[in-house]
């Protein structure tokens, strides 16, 4: 039986933005979508220099506020979050709301009708440069300094397509002039996940903009063409266990690959603006000739997999790695069987990803934001 349904990321609130649920009975090649080939430049790269210099000086030389001292030295592996000028929960909830409403309103951001997936990837790439073995804060990455706004880090091929997300968020920096890039991008990732139906993610403020000398070196983000050993080693560098890394890659339930950004093409599941365990239920079946299994796509692009049922979904080699390694596969099966198990692992792992390399003072509070739906229904 063939059926088409509309999955929206915010239920009735959303316009029919995310129409993408096709069943396996839909024939090969019938899943067409318009590819928007937009050129995005890195307008953000040299933004707001005054603010950067001011914040950089504070962060570098340290200051004491009675609640927390911020110090950042060449000898230190950690970047210390400041409590000095962080704001109230209410104000961060307001920023969350602004982001969530903007996602809802600007439903022409991408072909699936949402900026959400791009914002999740922005948060992850701002943090995924972290290297736990590198003791030099100039090179050890992480989300603290918001350094993707500069041309070297922003211009890393792995970050193609993310200038669009940074531009989308730019008005928020104008409205909340005290907000750092790192706090904004990580908060936007949390807001996007929650608004698309994902788990609640605890979030803490206090990141400060750092200057260009703190840009993470290029090549710190993962290579999608690799297999299980590489994936494990890569995420070990970020201090993650097998369960955490499998859960994190489950974010590929969102969004899609864009030929114009990565060279890869297509979404991972049929509801790319809903945060669910769809990535695992699709991936679980592995490569083969059977129903719902995967084969190598025949095309001129980079090696990627295509599903046998609709020839419209994709998996990266690095995704397929999760069913090639027996230890990973067990976790994939668990998350495919239980969305709750996936959410329980994902939420703290995503928080950890966004906080890697940052020392939060013990007084710092973990904020849990209410979704727009919860607020409108008085929850
Ligand atoms: C081995 C690790 C990973 C590899 C190799 C990888 C690779 C990729 C690639 C090639 C794309 C397509 C980009 C494009 O063409 O626009 C992508 C998209 C995406 N990735 Fe990953 N990724 C990894 C891990 C993660 C993690 C840990 C997260 C978040 C927790 C994540 C979230 C996303 C999202 C949400 C998108 C969709 C973006 C959009 O629709 O614009 N990825 N990833």
């Amino acid at each position: 039986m063939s059926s088409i349904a509309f999955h929206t990321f915010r239920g009735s609130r959303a316009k029919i933005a995310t129409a993408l649920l096709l069943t396996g009975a839909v024939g090969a090649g019938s899943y067409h979508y318009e590819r928007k080939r937009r050129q995005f430049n890195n307008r953000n790269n040299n933004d707001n220099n005054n603010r950067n210099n001011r914040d950089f000086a504070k962060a570098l030389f340290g200051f004491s506020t009675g609640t927390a001292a911020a110090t950042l030295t060449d000898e230190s592996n950690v970047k210390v979050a400041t409590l000095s000028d962080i704001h109230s929960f209410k104000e961060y909830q307001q920023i969350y709301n602004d982001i969530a409403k903007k996602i809802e309103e600007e439903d022409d951001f991408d072909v699936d009708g949402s900026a959400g997936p791009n914002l999740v990837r922005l948060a992850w790439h701002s943090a995924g440069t972290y290297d736990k073995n590198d003791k030099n804060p100039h090179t050890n990455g992480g989300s603290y300094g918001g350094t993707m706004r500069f041309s070297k880090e922003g211009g890393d091929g792995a970050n193609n397509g993310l200038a669009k997300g940074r531009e989308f968020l730019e008005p928020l920096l104008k409205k909340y002039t005290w907000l750092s890039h790192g706090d904004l991008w990580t908060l936007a990732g949390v807001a996007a996940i929650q608004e698309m139906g994902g788990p609640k993610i605890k979030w803490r403020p206090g990141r400060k903009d750092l200057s260009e000398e703190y840009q993470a070196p290029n090549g710190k983000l993962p290579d999608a063409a690799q297999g299980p050993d590489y994936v494990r080693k890569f995420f070990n560098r970020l201090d993650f266990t097998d369960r955490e890394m499998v859960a994190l890659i489950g974010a590929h339930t969102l969004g899609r690959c864009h030929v114009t950004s990565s060279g890869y093409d297509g979404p991972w599941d049929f509801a790319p603006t809903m945060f669910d365990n769809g990535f695992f239920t699709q991936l679980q079946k592995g490569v083969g000739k059977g129903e719902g299994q995967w084969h190598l796509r025949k095309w001129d692009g980079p090696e990627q997999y295509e599903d046998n049922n609709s020839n419209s979904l994709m998996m990266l080699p690095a995704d397929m790695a999760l069913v090639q390694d027996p230890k990973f596969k067990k976790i994939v099966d668990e998350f495919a069987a239980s969305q709750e198990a996936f959410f329980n692992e994902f939420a703290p792992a995503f928080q950890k990803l966004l906080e890697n390399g940052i020392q939060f003072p013990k007084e710092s509070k973990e904020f849990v934001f209410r979704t727009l739906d919860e607020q409108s229904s008085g929850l």
Side-chain angles (χ1 to χ4, degrees), residues 72 76-81 123-137 139-147 153 182-183 186 201-208 210 214 216 220-221 233-241 244-245 248 346-360 366:
L72 189 57
S76 169
N77 187 27
V78 293
K79 295 165 178 142
V80 182
W124 134 242
H125 278 209
S126 76
T129 52
Y130 176 63
D131 186 343
K132 72 170 182 189
N133 303 313
D134 183 352
K135 304 296 174 207
N136 181 350
T139 51
N140 70 357
S143 72
Y144 185 96
T147 44
E153 190 175 330
D183 275 354
T186 53
I201 293 156
K202 293 177 185 152
W203 179 86
R204 289 190 280 187
R207 295 165 190 79
K208 307 298 292 180
L210 294 178
Y214 285 83
K220 288 286 184 177
L221 292 162
K233 204 167 155 213
F234 176 87
F235 281 98
N236 284 339
R237 195 201 78 206
L238 278 87
D239 204 24
F240 288 114
T241 64
E244 289 172 324
M245 59 187 88
L248 284 172
F346 181 87
F350 195 69
Q351 180 188 8
K352 178 172 161 185
L353 172 71
L354 302 186
E355 296 189 350
N356 259 337
I358 304 174
Q359 185 180 302
F360 286 87
E366 293 180 321

Side-chain angles (χ1 to χ4, degrees), residues 154-187:
D156 187 337
N159 287 328
N160 285 351
L162 293 179
K164 196 179 176 192
R166 297 197 300 273
E167 283 169 21
F168 175 90
L169 294 173
E170 191 62 25
L172 278 291
L173 289 167
K174 300 220 159 61
K175 181 169 173 189
Y176 303 96
T177 52
W178 46 269
L179 189 62
S180 70
H181 287 80
D183 275 354
L184 175 63
W185 295 343
T186 53
L187 176 52

Side-chain angles (χ1 to χ4, degrees), residues 70-296:
T71 48
L72 189 57
T73 69
D74 283 1
E75 291 76 44
S76 169
N77 187 27
V78 293
K79 295 165 178 142
V80 182
T82 61
L83 290 184
S84 62
D85 52 357
I86 70 165
H87 290 236
S88 66
F89 171 74
K90 211 171 144 196
E91 283 167 283
Y92 290 109
Q93 178 74 62
Q94 185 55 51
I95 299 169
Y96 174 108
N97 290 356
D98 286 358
I99 295 166
K101 284 179 191 152
K102 199 166 153 58
I103 293 174
E104 189 178 319
E105 281 156 14
E106 296 182 28
D107 60 11
D108 59 348
F109 182 94
D110 203 342
V111 286
D112 300 321
S114 173
N118 185 296
L119 298 180
V120 174
R121 185 163 167 256
L122 174 62
W124 134 242
H125 278 209
S126 76
T129 52
Y130 176 63
D131 186 343
K132 72 170 182 189
N133 303 313
D134 183 352
K135 304 296 174 207
N136 181 350
H138 286 97
T139 51
N140 70 357
S143 72
Y144 185 96
T147 44
M148 203 202 292
R149 69 192 190 281
F150 297 118
S151 56
K152 191 182 76 181
E153 190 175 330
D156 187 337
N159 287 328
N160 285 351
L162 293 179
K164 196 179 176 192
R166 297 197 300 273
E167 283 169 21
F168 175 90
L169 294 173
E170 191 62 25
L172 278 291
L173 289 167
K174 300 220 159 61
K175 181 169 173 189
Y176 303 96
T177 52
W178 46 269
L179 189 62
S180 70
H181 287 80
D183 275 354
L184 175 63
W185 295 343
T186 53
L187 176 52
V190 167
I193 288 169
Q194 292 193 179
E195 293 298 310
M196 290 187 285
K200 290 290 178 86
I201 293 156
K202 293 177 185 152
W203 179 86
R204 289 190 280 187
R207 295 165 190 79
K208 307 298 292 180
D209 283 356
L210 294 178
S211 64
E212 350 194 10
E213 291 77 29
Y214 285 83
Q215 289 174 86
N218 287 4
K220 288 286 184 177
L221 292 162
D223 177 356
Q226 302 295 322
D229 293 348
Y230 171 91
V231 171
R232 184 171 278 116
K233 204 167 155 213
F234 176 87
F235 281 98
N236 284 339
R237 195 201 78 206
L238 278 87
D239 204 24
F240 288 114
T241 64
D242 279 9
R243 281 181 70 78
E244 289 172 324
M245 59 187 88
V246 174
L248 284 172
I249 297 173
H252 282 169
T253 187
L254 297 175
R256 64 175 55 239
C257 293
H258 306 77
V259 175
T260 46
S261 298
S262 61
Y264 295 101
D265 180 36
W268 289 267
D269 73 14
F270 291 116
T273 58
M274 289 188 70
F275 195 96
D276 58 18
N277 64 344
F279 170 77
F280 296 112
T281 52
Q282 293 295 344
L283 175 66
Q284 189 184 32
K285 296 172 189 123
V287 177
K289 291 200 160 56
E291 173 81 12
Q293 288 194 297
W294 297 83
H295 59 268
L296 278 175

Side-chain angles (χ1 to χ4, degrees), residues 27-40:
S30 65
Y31 179 19
H32 291 299
Y33 34 83
E34 185 196 346
R35 259 186 226 133
K36 296 186 178 174
R37 292 171 189 278
R38 298 183 189 172
Q39 299 292 322
F40 307 113

Side-chain angles (χ1 to χ4, degrees), residues 11-53:
S12 57
R13 255 176 203 281
K15 297 171 194 161
I16 301 180
T18 61
L20 257 188
L21 184 87
L22 309 183
T23 67
V26 176
S30 65
Y31 179 19
H32 291 299
Y33 34 83
E34 185 196 346
R35 259 186 226 133
K36 296 186 178 174
R37 292 171 189 278
R38 298 183 189 172
Q39 299 292 322
F40 307 113
N41 55 28
N42 275 350
R43 255 184 274 151
N44 281 356
N45 286 342
N46 294 313
D47 59 0
N48 223 342
N49 276 333
N50 290 341
R51 160 209 195 109
N52 297 341
N53 292 341

